mmCIF file of all heavy atoms in Angstrom:
data_model
loop_
_atom_site.group_PDB
_atom_site.id
_atom_site.type_symbol
_atom_site.label_atom_id
_atom_site.label_comp_id
_atom_site.label_asym_id
_atom_site.label_seq_id
_atom_site.Cartn_x
_atom_site.Cartn_y
_atom_site.Cartn_z
ATOM 1 N N MET A 656 -13.706 88.948 171.682
ATOM 2 C CA MET A 656 -13.596 90.321 171.255
ATOM 3 C C MET A 656 -12.308 90.524 170.404
ATOM 4 O O MET A 656 -12.314 91.227 169.406
ATOM 5 C CB MET A 656 -13.563 91.209 172.465
ATOM 6 C CG MET A 656 -13.578 92.690 172.120
ATOM 7 S SD MET A 656 -15.164 93.123 171.378
ATOM 8 C CE MET A 656 -15.077 94.849 171.485
ATOM 9 N N LYS A 657 -11.259 89.849 170.844
ATOM 10 C CA LYS A 657 -9.995 89.951 170.124
ATOM 11 C C LYS A 657 -10.137 89.386 168.701
ATOM 12 O O LYS A 657 -9.580 89.966 167.734
ATOM 13 C CB LYS A 657 -8.897 89.250 170.888
ATOM 14 C CG LYS A 657 -7.510 89.407 170.358
ATOM 15 C CD LYS A 657 -6.519 88.713 171.280
ATOM 16 C CE LYS A 657 -5.081 88.966 170.717
ATOM 17 N NZ LYS A 657 -4.093 88.297 171.523
ATOM 18 N N SER A 658 -10.814 88.272 168.557
ATOM 19 C CA SER A 658 -10.968 87.680 167.204
ATOM 20 C C SER A 658 -11.843 88.541 166.358
ATOM 21 O O SER A 658 -11.667 88.617 165.095
ATOM 22 C CB SER A 658 -11.524 86.225 167.324
ATOM 23 O OG SER A 658 -12.890 86.291 167.856
ATOM 24 N N LEU A 659 -12.827 89.224 166.887
ATOM 25 C CA LEU A 659 -13.640 90.109 166.162
ATOM 26 C C LEU A 659 -12.857 91.348 165.613
ATOM 27 O O LEU A 659 -12.988 91.663 164.426
ATOM 28 C CB LEU A 659 -14.791 90.672 167.110
ATOM 29 C CG LEU A 659 -15.769 91.663 166.422
ATOM 30 C CD1 LEU A 659 -16.510 91.008 165.304
ATOM 31 C CD2 LEU A 659 -16.715 92.215 167.418
ATOM 32 N N LEU A 660 -11.994 91.844 166.439
ATOM 33 C CA LEU A 660 -11.149 92.957 165.942
ATOM 34 C C LEU A 660 -10.158 92.491 164.883
ATOM 35 O O LEU A 660 -9.898 93.191 163.903
ATOM 36 C CB LEU A 660 -10.432 93.606 167.110
ATOM 37 C CG LEU A 660 -11.229 94.413 168.093
ATOM 38 C CD1 LEU A 660 -10.442 94.895 169.274
ATOM 39 C CD2 LEU A 660 -11.900 95.549 167.397
ATOM 40 N N ALA A 661 -9.626 91.307 165.065
ATOM 41 C CA ALA A 661 -8.687 90.739 164.057
ATOM 42 C C ALA A 661 -9.347 90.494 162.709
ATOM 43 O O ALA A 661 -8.858 90.848 161.649
ATOM 44 C CB ALA A 661 -8.067 89.460 164.550
ATOM 45 N N ARG A 662 -10.604 89.979 162.815
ATOM 46 C CA ARG A 662 -11.377 89.742 161.602
ATOM 47 C C ARG A 662 -11.686 91.063 160.878
ATOM 48 O O ARG A 662 -11.685 91.202 159.657
ATOM 49 C CB ARG A 662 -12.630 88.954 161.914
ATOM 50 C CG ARG A 662 -13.336 88.404 160.700
ATOM 51 C CD ARG A 662 -14.478 87.528 161.153
ATOM 52 N NE ARG A 662 -15.281 88.244 162.170
ATOM 53 C CZ ARG A 662 -16.408 87.778 162.621
ATOM 54 N NH1 ARG A 662 -16.904 86.643 162.249
ATOM 55 N NH2 ARG A 662 -17.112 88.419 163.568
ATOM 56 N N PHE A 663 -12.067 92.058 161.675
ATOM 57 C CA PHE A 663 -12.384 93.379 161.154
ATOM 58 C C PHE A 663 -11.158 94.000 160.459
ATOM 59 O O PHE A 663 -11.266 94.605 159.400
ATOM 60 C CB PHE A 663 -12.885 94.324 162.233
ATOM 61 C CG PHE A 663 -13.132 95.704 161.799
ATOM 62 C CD1 PHE A 663 -14.291 95.976 161.048
ATOM 63 C CD2 PHE A 663 -12.318 96.783 162.129
ATOM 64 C CE1 PHE A 663 -14.558 97.272 160.611
ATOM 65 C CE2 PHE A 663 -12.562 98.062 161.664
ATOM 66 C CZ PHE A 663 -13.701 98.311 160.890
ATOM 67 N N ALA A 664 -9.995 93.827 161.047
ATOM 68 C CA ALA A 664 -8.758 94.391 160.522
ATOM 69 C C ALA A 664 -8.362 93.747 159.115
ATOM 70 O O ALA A 664 -7.847 94.373 158.272
ATOM 71 C CB ALA A 664 -7.623 94.259 161.446
ATOM 72 N N LYS A 665 -8.775 92.468 158.975
ATOM 73 C CA LYS A 665 -8.411 91.744 157.779
ATOM 74 C C LYS A 665 -9.445 91.874 156.702
ATOM 75 O O LYS A 665 -9.207 91.536 155.553
ATOM 76 C CB LYS A 665 -8.280 90.283 158.071
ATOM 77 C CG LYS A 665 -7.068 89.931 158.934
ATOM 78 C CD LYS A 665 -6.974 88.456 159.212
ATOM 79 C CE LYS A 665 -5.747 88.127 160.077
ATOM 80 N NZ LYS A 665 -5.662 86.728 160.349
ATOM 81 N N ASP A 666 -10.597 92.452 156.974
ATOM 82 C CA ASP A 666 -11.687 92.633 156.049
ATOM 83 C C ASP A 666 -11.330 93.648 155.005
ATOM 84 O O ASP A 666 -10.970 94.769 155.293
ATOM 85 C CB ASP A 666 -12.947 93.036 156.777
ATOM 86 C CG ASP A 666 -14.193 93.053 155.804
ATOM 87 O OD1 ASP A 666 -14.111 92.485 154.738
ATOM 88 O OD2 ASP A 666 -15.209 93.568 156.272
ATOM 89 N N GLN A 667 -11.354 93.198 153.688
ATOM 90 C CA GLN A 667 -10.913 94.090 152.605
ATOM 91 C C GLN A 667 -12.128 94.604 151.810
ATOM 92 O O GLN A 667 -11.911 95.301 150.814
ATOM 93 C CB GLN A 667 -9.977 93.291 151.681
ATOM 94 C CG GLN A 667 -8.678 92.938 152.294
ATOM 95 C CD GLN A 667 -7.805 94.187 152.515
ATOM 96 O OE1 GLN A 667 -7.768 95.048 151.635
ATOM 97 N NE2 GLN A 667 -7.116 94.263 153.661
ATOM 98 N N SER A 668 -13.349 94.218 152.149
ATOM 99 C CA SER A 668 -14.499 94.546 151.286
ATOM 100 C C SER A 668 -14.731 96.061 151.218
ATOM 101 O O SER A 668 -15.097 96.572 150.194
ATOM 102 C CB SER A 668 -15.776 93.820 151.780
ATOM 103 O OG SER A 668 -16.066 94.228 153.084
ATOM 104 N N GLY A 669 -14.545 96.762 152.304
ATOM 105 C CA GLY A 669 -14.712 98.239 152.319
ATOM 106 C C GLY A 669 -13.712 98.891 151.439
ATOM 107 O O GLY A 669 -14.035 99.854 150.699
ATOM 108 N N ALA A 670 -12.440 98.437 151.416
ATOM 109 C CA ALA A 670 -11.412 99.021 150.630
ATOM 110 C C ALA A 670 -11.713 98.794 149.146
ATOM 111 O O ALA A 670 -11.527 99.661 148.347
ATOM 112 C CB ALA A 670 -10.065 98.453 151.006
ATOM 113 N N THR A 671 -12.257 97.578 148.845
ATOM 114 C CA THR A 671 -12.558 97.342 147.440
ATOM 115 C C THR A 671 -13.697 98.235 146.958
ATOM 116 O O THR A 671 -13.620 98.722 145.850
ATOM 117 C CB THR A 671 -13.040 95.824 147.313
ATOM 118 O OG1 THR A 671 -11.983 95.019 147.807
ATOM 119 C CG2 THR A 671 -13.303 95.493 145.858
ATOM 120 N N ALA A 672 -14.676 98.477 147.798
ATOM 121 C CA ALA A 672 -15.747 99.345 147.384
ATOM 122 C C ALA A 672 -15.264 100.822 147.113
ATOM 123 O O ALA A 672 -15.640 101.467 146.170
ATOM 124 C CB ALA A 672 -16.852 99.422 148.415
ATOM 125 N N ILE A 673 -14.335 101.245 147.990
ATOM 126 C CA ILE A 673 -13.744 102.574 147.830
ATOM 127 C C ILE A 673 -12.933 102.608 146.543
ATOM 128 O O ILE A 673 -12.947 103.595 145.752
ATOM 129 C CB ILE A 673 -12.906 102.944 149.023
ATOM 130 C CG1 ILE A 673 -13.841 103.162 150.227
ATOM 131 C CG2 ILE A 673 -12.081 104.203 148.790
ATOM 132 C CD1 ILE A 673 -13.057 103.356 151.579
ATOM 133 N N GLU A 674 -12.167 101.624 146.251
ATOM 134 C CA GLU A 674 -11.357 101.534 145.020
ATOM 135 C C GLU A 674 -12.303 101.607 143.780
ATOM 136 O O GLU A 674 -12.013 102.319 142.811
ATOM 137 C CB GLU A 674 -10.554 100.293 144.972
ATOM 138 C CG GLU A 674 -9.439 100.311 145.952
ATOM 139 C CD GLU A 674 -8.751 98.937 146.107
ATOM 140 O OE1 GLU A 674 -9.205 97.991 145.484
ATOM 141 O OE2 GLU A 674 -7.778 98.897 146.883
ATOM 142 N N TYR A 675 -13.338 100.838 143.787
ATOM 143 C CA TYR A 675 -14.344 100.832 142.663
ATOM 144 C C TYR A 675 -14.949 102.262 142.537
ATOM 145 O O TYR A 675 -15.155 102.794 141.391
ATOM 146 C CB TYR A 675 -15.416 99.820 142.838
ATOM 147 C CG TYR A 675 -14.979 98.436 142.506
ATOM 148 C CD1 TYR A 675 -15.295 97.408 143.289
ATOM 149 C CD2 TYR A 675 -14.261 98.155 141.350
ATOM 150 C CE1 TYR A 675 -14.924 96.094 143.022
ATOM 151 C CE2 TYR A 675 -13.819 96.903 141.065
ATOM 152 C CZ TYR A 675 -14.217 95.843 141.838
ATOM 153 O OH TYR A 675 -13.774 94.584 141.583
ATOM 154 N N GLY A 676 -15.239 102.945 143.647
ATOM 155 C CA GLY A 676 -15.802 104.288 143.610
ATOM 156 C C GLY A 676 -14.797 105.251 142.980
ATOM 157 O O GLY A 676 -15.192 106.106 142.219
ATOM 158 N N LEU A 677 -13.506 105.134 143.327
ATOM 159 C CA LEU A 677 -12.498 106.014 142.776
ATOM 160 C C LEU A 677 -12.322 105.773 141.276
ATOM 161 O O LEU A 677 -12.186 106.753 140.473
ATOM 162 C CB LEU A 677 -11.183 105.875 143.499
ATOM 163 C CG LEU A 677 -11.163 106.352 144.937
ATOM 164 C CD1 LEU A 677 -9.855 105.944 145.618
ATOM 165 C CD2 LEU A 677 -11.312 107.856 144.956
ATOM 166 N N ILE A 678 -12.384 104.490 140.878
ATOM 167 C CA ILE A 678 -12.212 104.207 139.439
ATOM 168 C C ILE A 678 -13.402 104.766 138.700
ATOM 169 O O ILE A 678 -13.258 105.361 137.591
ATOM 170 C CB ILE A 678 -12.153 102.689 139.254
ATOM 171 C CG1 ILE A 678 -10.748 102.151 139.761
ATOM 172 C CG2 ILE A 678 -12.305 102.326 137.783
ATOM 173 C CD1 ILE A 678 -10.714 100.659 139.891
ATOM 174 N N ALA A 679 -14.644 104.635 139.227
ATOM 175 C CA ALA A 679 -15.847 105.163 138.561
ATOM 176 C C ALA A 679 -15.772 106.631 138.437
ATOM 177 O O ALA A 679 -16.118 107.228 137.413
ATOM 178 C CB ALA A 679 -17.038 104.729 139.317
ATOM 179 N N ALA A 680 -15.251 107.332 139.516
ATOM 180 C CA ALA A 680 -15.130 108.803 139.462
ATOM 181 C C ALA A 680 -14.144 109.212 138.425
ATOM 182 O O ALA A 680 -14.353 110.226 137.730
ATOM 183 C CB ALA A 680 -14.713 109.325 140.800
ATOM 184 N N GLY A 681 -13.022 108.510 138.297
ATOM 185 C CA GLY A 681 -12.037 108.840 137.267
ATOM 186 C C GLY A 681 -12.573 108.666 135.860
ATOM 187 O O GLY A 681 -12.368 109.500 134.975
ATOM 188 N N ILE A 682 -13.301 107.529 135.630
ATOM 189 C CA ILE A 682 -13.865 107.317 134.338
ATOM 190 C C ILE A 682 -14.885 108.398 134.007
ATOM 191 O O ILE A 682 -14.968 108.894 132.887
ATOM 192 C CB ILE A 682 -14.476 105.937 134.252
ATOM 193 C CG1 ILE A 682 -13.403 104.872 134.307
ATOM 194 C CG2 ILE A 682 -15.367 105.726 133.010
ATOM 195 C CD1 ILE A 682 -13.874 103.476 134.453
ATOM 196 N N ALA A 683 -15.700 108.810 135.038
ATOM 197 C CA ALA A 683 -16.715 109.822 134.785
ATOM 198 C C ALA A 683 -16.030 111.160 134.417
ATOM 199 O O ALA A 683 -16.537 111.889 133.547
ATOM 200 C CB ALA A 683 -17.589 109.975 136.040
ATOM 201 N N ALA A 684 -14.983 111.509 135.031
ATOM 202 C CA ALA A 684 -14.235 112.717 134.749
ATOM 203 C C ALA A 684 -13.732 112.703 133.313
ATOM 204 O O ALA A 684 -13.802 113.737 132.591
ATOM 205 C CB ALA A 684 -13.079 112.915 135.752
ATOM 206 N N VAL A 685 -13.199 111.622 132.905
ATOM 207 C CA VAL A 685 -12.711 111.504 131.538
ATOM 208 C C VAL A 685 -13.834 111.633 130.537
ATOM 209 O O VAL A 685 -13.734 112.385 129.523
ATOM 210 C CB VAL A 685 -11.932 110.197 131.313
ATOM 211 C CG1 VAL A 685 -11.663 109.935 129.845
ATOM 212 C CG2 VAL A 685 -10.629 110.158 132.096
ATOM 213 N N ILE A 686 -14.955 110.961 130.799
ATOM 214 C CA ILE A 686 -16.100 111.072 129.876
ATOM 215 C C ILE A 686 -16.633 112.495 129.827
ATOM 216 O O ILE A 686 -16.931 113.013 128.720
ATOM 217 C CB ILE A 686 -17.182 110.113 130.311
ATOM 218 C CG1 ILE A 686 -16.808 108.659 130.071
ATOM 219 C CG2 ILE A 686 -18.546 110.369 129.599
ATOM 220 C CD1 ILE A 686 -17.668 107.598 130.677
ATOM 221 N N ILE A 687 -16.708 113.169 130.926
ATOM 222 C CA ILE A 687 -17.169 114.556 130.978
ATOM 223 C C ILE A 687 -16.254 115.468 130.166
ATOM 224 O O ILE A 687 -16.684 116.310 129.369
ATOM 225 C CB ILE A 687 -17.323 115.050 132.421
ATOM 226 C CG1 ILE A 687 -18.532 114.345 133.026
ATOM 227 C CG2 ILE A 687 -17.503 116.561 132.425
ATOM 228 C CD1 ILE A 687 -18.603 114.607 134.577
ATOM 229 N N SER A 688 -14.972 115.279 130.256
ATOM 230 C CA SER A 688 -14.014 116.070 129.569
ATOM 231 C C SER A 688 -14.119 115.868 128.049
ATOM 232 O O SER A 688 -14.055 116.759 127.270
ATOM 233 C CB SER A 688 -12.540 115.779 130.003
ATOM 234 O OG SER A 688 -12.415 116.088 131.313
ATOM 235 N N VAL A 689 -14.301 114.596 127.634
ATOM 236 C CA VAL A 689 -14.318 114.271 126.228
ATOM 237 C C VAL A 689 -15.631 114.822 125.627
ATOM 238 O O VAL A 689 -15.612 115.455 124.545
ATOM 239 C CB VAL A 689 -14.232 112.776 125.978
ATOM 240 C CG1 VAL A 689 -14.603 112.385 124.554
ATOM 241 C CG2 VAL A 689 -12.841 112.233 126.307
ATOM 242 N N VAL A 690 -16.748 114.630 126.319
ATOM 243 C CA VAL A 690 -17.998 115.128 125.835
ATOM 244 C C VAL A 690 -18.010 116.649 125.757
ATOM 245 O O VAL A 690 -18.546 117.253 124.797
ATOM 246 C CB VAL A 690 -19.173 114.646 126.694
ATOM 247 C CG1 VAL A 690 -20.484 115.286 126.405
ATOM 248 C CG2 VAL A 690 -19.328 113.126 126.521
ATOM 249 N N ASN A 691 -17.443 117.291 126.651
ATOM 250 C CA ASN A 691 -17.355 118.772 126.702
ATOM 251 C C ASN A 691 -16.519 119.262 125.494
ATOM 252 O O ASN A 691 -16.895 120.223 124.825
ATOM 253 C CB ASN A 691 -16.707 119.273 127.969
ATOM 254 C CG ASN A 691 -16.828 120.768 128.143
ATOM 255 O OD1 ASN A 691 -17.657 121.397 127.485
ATOM 256 N ND2 ASN A 691 -16.014 121.336 129.020
ATOM 257 N N GLY A 692 -15.422 118.579 125.170
ATOM 258 C CA GLY A 692 -14.592 118.964 124.070
ATOM 259 C C GLY A 692 -15.367 118.726 122.700
ATOM 260 O O GLY A 692 -15.290 119.537 121.811
ATOM 261 N N ILE A 693 -16.007 117.605 122.614
ATOM 262 C CA ILE A 693 -16.747 117.310 121.389
ATOM 263 C C ILE A 693 -17.922 118.246 121.233
ATOM 264 O O ILE A 693 -18.224 118.648 120.135
ATOM 265 C CB ILE A 693 -17.226 115.783 121.396
ATOM 266 C CG1 ILE A 693 -16.020 114.879 121.310
ATOM 267 C CG2 ILE A 693 -18.218 115.520 120.314
ATOM 268 C CD1 ILE A 693 -16.338 113.418 121.492
ATOM 269 N N GLY A 694 -18.578 118.577 122.344
ATOM 270 C CA GLY A 694 -19.702 119.458 122.274
ATOM 271 C C GLY A 694 -19.356 120.859 121.768
ATOM 272 O O GLY A 694 -20.023 121.438 120.966
ATOM 273 N N THR A 695 -18.140 121.328 122.101
ATOM 274 C CA THR A 695 -17.700 122.643 121.582
ATOM 275 C C THR A 695 -17.487 122.560 120.051
ATOM 276 O O THR A 695 -17.868 123.424 119.326
ATOM 277 C CB THR A 695 -16.372 123.031 122.253
ATOM 278 O OG1 THR A 695 -16.617 123.032 123.688
ATOM 279 C CG2 THR A 695 -15.907 124.361 121.837
ATOM 280 N N LYS A 696 -16.865 121.439 119.615
ATOM 281 C CA LYS A 696 -16.615 121.318 118.132
ATOM 282 C C LYS A 696 -17.895 121.156 117.387
ATOM 283 O O LYS A 696 -18.053 121.716 116.294
ATOM 284 C CB LYS A 696 -15.740 120.086 117.934
ATOM 285 C CG LYS A 696 -14.327 120.243 118.423
ATOM 286 C CD LYS A 696 -13.506 119.014 118.178
ATOM 287 C CE LYS A 696 -12.102 119.254 118.768
ATOM 288 N NZ LYS A 696 -11.209 118.062 118.603
ATOM 289 N N VAL A 697 -18.895 120.461 117.922
ATOM 290 C CA VAL A 697 -20.184 120.290 117.265
ATOM 291 C C VAL A 697 -20.878 121.620 117.200
ATOM 292 O O VAL A 697 -21.518 121.936 116.158
ATOM 293 C CB VAL A 697 -21.022 119.157 117.988
ATOM 294 C CG1 VAL A 697 -22.472 119.166 117.473
ATOM 295 C CG2 VAL A 697 -20.429 117.828 117.818
ATOM 296 N N THR A 698 -20.896 122.373 118.268
ATOM 297 C CA THR A 698 -21.529 123.706 118.250
ATOM 298 C C THR A 698 -20.897 124.584 117.211
ATOM 299 O O THR A 698 -21.597 125.294 116.475
ATOM 300 C CB THR A 698 -21.394 124.332 119.640
ATOM 301 O OG1 THR A 698 -21.953 123.514 120.635
ATOM 302 C CG2 THR A 698 -22.032 125.716 119.686
ATOM 303 N N THR A 699 -19.596 124.568 117.081
ATOM 304 C CA THR A 699 -18.906 125.372 116.074
ATOM 305 C C THR A 699 -19.310 124.939 114.670
ATOM 306 O O THR A 699 -19.559 125.763 113.804
ATOM 307 C CB THR A 699 -17.372 125.248 116.232
ATOM 308 O OG1 THR A 699 -17.024 125.694 117.533
ATOM 309 C CG2 THR A 699 -16.618 126.094 115.193
ATOM 310 N N ALA A 700 -19.411 123.613 114.442
ATOM 311 C CA ALA A 700 -19.750 123.100 113.143
ATOM 312 C C ALA A 700 -21.182 123.480 112.764
ATOM 313 O O ALA A 700 -21.452 123.957 111.617
ATOM 314 C CB ALA A 700 -19.663 121.584 113.105
ATOM 315 N N PHE A 701 -22.143 123.399 113.705
ATOM 316 C CA PHE A 701 -23.479 123.838 113.390
ATOM 317 C C PHE A 701 -23.620 125.325 113.207
ATOM 318 O O PHE A 701 -24.402 125.750 112.356
ATOM 319 C CB PHE A 701 -24.439 123.375 114.530
ATOM 320 C CG PHE A 701 -24.861 121.927 114.427
ATOM 321 C CD1 PHE A 701 -24.571 121.025 115.409
ATOM 322 C CD2 PHE A 701 -25.561 121.504 113.282
ATOM 323 C CE1 PHE A 701 -25.012 119.708 115.300
ATOM 324 C CE2 PHE A 701 -25.975 120.146 113.162
ATOM 325 C CZ PHE A 701 -25.699 119.258 114.199
ATOM 326 N N THR A 702 -22.834 126.088 113.907
ATOM 327 C CA THR A 702 -22.811 127.499 113.675
ATOM 328 C C THR A 702 -22.318 127.891 112.238
ATOM 329 O O THR A 702 -22.875 128.725 111.596
ATOM 330 C CB THR A 702 -21.940 128.213 114.733
ATOM 331 O OG1 THR A 702 -22.455 127.928 116.028
ATOM 332 C CG2 THR A 702 -21.922 129.726 114.554
ATOM 333 N N ASN A 703 -21.253 127.156 111.850
ATOM 334 C CA ASN A 703 -20.748 127.412 110.494
ATOM 335 C C ASN A 703 -21.739 126.988 109.412
ATOM 336 O O ASN A 703 -21.900 127.730 108.450
ATOM 337 C CB ASN A 703 -19.424 126.640 110.301
ATOM 338 C CG ASN A 703 -18.312 127.203 111.074
ATOM 339 O OD1 ASN A 703 -18.370 128.368 111.460
ATOM 340 N ND2 ASN A 703 -17.317 126.346 111.355
ATOM 341 N N VAL A 704 -22.408 125.881 109.616
ATOM 342 C CA VAL A 704 -23.445 125.452 108.655
ATOM 343 C C VAL A 704 -24.603 126.427 108.645
ATOM 344 O O VAL A 704 -25.051 126.833 107.514
ATOM 345 C CB VAL A 704 -23.995 124.047 109.019
ATOM 346 C CG1 VAL A 704 -25.220 123.685 108.248
ATOM 347 C CG2 VAL A 704 -22.889 122.994 108.842
ATOM 348 N N ASN A 705 -25.048 126.932 109.787
ATOM 349 C CA ASN A 705 -26.083 127.862 109.842
ATOM 350 C C ASN A 705 -25.727 129.175 109.125
ATOM 351 O O ASN A 705 -26.533 129.769 108.403
ATOM 352 C CB ASN A 705 -26.514 128.144 111.298
ATOM 353 C CG ASN A 705 -27.796 128.938 111.414
ATOM 354 O OD1 ASN A 705 -28.609 128.947 110.520
ATOM 355 N ND2 ASN A 705 -27.843 129.639 112.505
ATOM 356 N N THR A 706 -24.456 129.621 109.321
ATOM 357 C CA THR A 706 -24.013 130.856 108.728
ATOM 358 C C THR A 706 -23.938 130.718 107.182
ATOM 359 O O THR A 706 -24.377 131.584 106.454
ATOM 360 C CB THR A 706 -22.618 131.241 109.252
ATOM 361 O OG1 THR A 706 -22.717 131.367 110.681
ATOM 362 C CG2 THR A 706 -22.107 132.525 108.649
ATOM 363 N N ASN A 707 -23.426 129.593 106.726
ATOM 364 C CA ASN A 707 -23.333 129.333 105.292
ATOM 365 C C ASN A 707 -24.659 129.153 104.610
ATOM 366 O O ASN A 707 -24.838 129.474 103.449
ATOM 367 C CB ASN A 707 -22.409 128.143 105.043
ATOM 368 C CG ASN A 707 -20.966 128.444 105.330
ATOM 369 O OD1 ASN A 707 -20.513 129.628 105.264
ATOM 370 N ND2 ASN A 707 -20.256 127.455 105.771
ATOM 371 N N LEU A 708 -25.631 128.601 105.333
ATOM 372 C CA LEU A 708 -27.007 128.456 104.696
ATOM 373 C C LEU A 708 -27.674 129.754 104.612
ATOM 374 O O LEU A 708 -28.507 129.966 103.759
ATOM 375 C CB LEU A 708 -27.829 127.451 105.585
ATOM 376 C CG LEU A 708 -27.459 126.008 105.482
ATOM 377 C CD1 LEU A 708 -28.308 125.167 106.461
ATOM 378 C CD2 LEU A 708 -27.695 125.489 104.083
ATOM 379 N N GLY A 709 -27.360 130.717 105.465
ATOM 380 C CA GLY A 709 -27.984 132.017 105.464
ATOM 381 C C GLY A 709 -27.483 132.917 104.328
ATOM 382 O O GLY A 709 -28.095 133.901 104.010
ATOM 383 N N LYS A 710 -26.405 132.512 103.677
ATOM 384 C CA LYS A 710 -25.845 133.384 102.554
ATOM 385 C C LYS A 710 -26.568 133.130 101.299
ATOM 386 O O LYS A 710 -27.074 132.229 100.895
ATOM 387 C CB LYS A 710 -24.323 133.057 102.406
ATOM 388 C CG LYS A 710 -23.534 133.511 103.632
ATOM 389 C CD LYS A 710 -22.108 133.248 103.356
ATOM 390 C CE LYS A 710 -21.231 133.764 104.519
ATOM 391 N NZ LYS A 710 -19.860 133.502 104.331
#
C-alpha cells in the first residue's frame, strides 16, 4: 500500500493533462479575441461598400 501511494504521488500524467488543457484554453481565448476584432472591421468595411454602392 505504501508503494502504491508513493507511485501515485510521483505520477505527473494528470498534471500534464491539466497543463495542456490550460494552454488550449489560453490559445482559444486569443483566437476568439482576434476573430471578434477582425469581424467588427469586416462588418464595417462591408457596410461602407454597401453604402457607397447605393449612391
Side-chain angles (χ1 to χ4, degrees):
M656 186 68 167
K657 188 176 181 180
S658 65
L659 178 64
L660 289 175
R662 192 174 48 174
F663 177 75
K665 291 181 182 179
D666 187 12
Q667 294 289 321
S668 62
T671 302
I673 291 171
E674 290 169 357
Y675 283 135
L677 290 173
I678 291 169
I682 291 171
V685 169
I686 290 172
I687 289 170
S688 298
V689 169
V690 168
N691 191 19
I693 291 173
T695 303
K696 291 179 182 178
V697 170
T698 302
T699 302
F701 277 121
T702 302
N703 290 338
V704 169
N705 189 27
T706 302
N707 290 330
L708 286 175
K710 291 182 178 180

